[in-house]
Amino acid sequence: MADPVAEATGFVVRPAQPRDAHSFFEMWSGVVAEGRYVRPDQTRRDAGFYRRVFRHAWSSDRVDLVAASGERVIGHLTAAREEGVACNHVASVGLAVAADWRGRGVGSALMEEVIAWGRQMGVEKLALSVFPHNQVAIEMYRRFGFAEEGRLSGHSKKSIGYVDEILMGMWLIPRPPEAELRD
């Protein structure tokens, strides 16, 4: 039976599987090589590392999602709960989409799925950081309900120099009064 979502969009979103590791690594290497949207300037791990990680792609503490067009991984989202009792209610999110698939709903589809994962697993808040020049991503995050919570000046030291990071958060529960943003 054909998947109507895949037919309409050209891709599916699902938990990563070990067999996705090679294709994921190709996609990730391409995004890293752009030098603009993710922290690293070079890949440090190989496909074998991700094959092992993807064996446990969906748990209460971590999720690795892929967007796939056929056998090709075209997007990836990872979210992991913060460690320690004080921050365990928060999961940090990282997202990457292949250059030739941007603007086609891949990032949004991955975000929808991580929000569903977070709610299912009792995560109270999602957090992420994004470079200020990545306005397309910032606007997408805002559409999902993320709000800017701060800025880290020169936090990433990349081959192009120091780059700020904007911190954004989204509550999956009603925002507790004591967590209101203050000036």
Side-chain angles (χ1 to χ4, degrees), residues 26-65:
E26 287 181 354
M27 184 275 306
W28 176 242
S29 295
V31 173
V32 169
E34 290 178 82
R36 293 188 41 81
Y37 302 112
V38 295
R39 281 183 179 158
D41 281 328
Q42 57 186 331
T43 56
R44 296 180 335 166
R45 310 209 195 265
D46 62 10
F49 171 83
Y50 295 103
R51 191 174 299 109
R52 291 185 295 278
V53 168
F54 293 168
R55 286 186 187 126
H56 309 285
W58 186 285
S59 73
S60 61
D61 291 327
R62 178 183 178 93
V63 66
D64 277 283
L65 301 168

Side-chain angles (χ1 to χ4, degrees), residues 95-140:
L95 172 67
V97 176
D100 60 328
W101 277 86
R102 292 181 192 142
R104 297 169 64 180
V106 175
S108 292
L110 288 162
M111 290 301 298
E112 288 172 5
E113 191 65 21
V114 78
I115 291 167
W117 167 83
R119 288 189 169 125
Q120 180 182 346
M121 299 302 171
V123 171
E124 296 177 11
K125 181 180 179 185
L126 297 175
L128 56 84
S129 70
V130 59
F131 295 139
H133 60 261
N134 195 350
Q135 286 298 310
V136 172
I138 291 168
E139 288 306 314
M140 179 191 68

